[in-house]
Structures are given as structure tokens and as C-alpha cells.
Amino acid sequence: MESSSLANTDSQQSKAVDREIRQRAIAIVEKLPESVLDEAVKFLESLYVKGEPVE
């Protein structure tokens, strides 16, 4: 039982970190000048392809 609750805690912490990272990334992208948005989107899409899909 203990390992199951530890796994749940790790999963919850991981999701909280994912949300924080996502929010920070959004804040950074919102500050970018429009002239670099296309390049930024292409870069982010390349990261998505390389990483695991976010659910």
C-alpha cells in the first residue's frame, strides 16, 4: 500500500511541475515579439515530437 501512495504522490508532484513549466513557457512565449513567433512555434513543435505527448 505504501508504495502505491508514494507513486500517487510522485505522479501528483510530476503533474504540478508539468503545469508550472507549461505556465512558465506560456509566459515566455507571450513576451516574444511577433517577428519570432513562427520560429518559436516551430521550435516548440520539434520538442513535442521529440518528447512524450502531454495528456
Side-chain angles (χ1 to χ4, degrees):
M1 264 312 196
E2 261 185 58
S3 65
S4 177
S5 65
L6 286 176
N8 287 339
T9 301
D10 287 346
S11 177
Q12 290 170 349
Q13 288 175 343
S14 177
K15 287 178 183 178
V17 169
D18 288 346
R19 279 192 300 272
E20 180 183 343
I21 291 170
R22 191 174 298 119
Q23 291 301 317
R24 289 172 54 196
I26 290 168
I28 291 168
V29 170
E30 288 175 340
K31 293 178 184 176
L32 292 174
E34 282 197 40
S35 61
V36 297
L37 286 180
D38 285 340
E39 187 176 338
V41 168
K42 288 176 187 174
F43 174 73
L44 291 172
E45 287 174 340
S46 75
L47 293 178
Y48 178 78
V49 170
K50 292 176 186 176
E52 293 181 23
V54 177
E55 293 180 12

